[in-house]
Amino acid sequence: MPADRDGDEARPRKRTHRGAEESRVRSRGERPRHSQRLSASRAMLSAMQQLKDLLGKAPESVSAVRPTDDGWEAEVEVLEIERIPDTTSVMASYRVTLDAGGELMAYERIRRYTRAQIDRRA
């Protein structure tokens, strides 16, 4: 073996294939680990972009974003039906579930309302 700068013998590097670890992890029923979790702001942007791609409508805002054990969950507000005056336009809230890498795993419409409507708190 060749010596490194300190004169010690260098150990050969063990080569592994990423897929090999993923298949080993799956065989034990575990989820593969992601090297780094997305930040909340990147999760919001990812949720908005992917929902836009699916619905064909640009989201107007993200009203909530929260971490989950598996990634992120966001609530995204989308203009569904544009009307005049604007206060009568129909909006919708979508719950978007992302994995730790920011990929959309699920979405569902959880609420429809007019733009002028406000929530009543009990």
Side-chain angles (χ1 to χ4, degrees), residues 51-70:
L51 193 59
K52 177 184 175 186
D53 293 346
L54 288 169
L55 299 177
K57 299 174 184 181
E60 296 211 347
S61 65
V62 175
S63 56
V65 64
R66 64 188 68 79
T68 65
D69 291 340
D70 299 326

Side-chain angles (χ1 to χ4, degrees), residues 5 14 21 31 36 42 52 61 63 67 73 76 98 103 110 117-118:
R5 288 188 293 179
K14 184 177 179 181
E21 179 176 330
R31 291 195 171 114
Q36 191 173 14
R42 288 190 188 269
K52 177 184 175 186
S61 65
S63 56
E73 186 175 274
V76 181
L98 304 173
E103 292 299 314
I110 56 175
Q117 184 177 347
I118 59 171

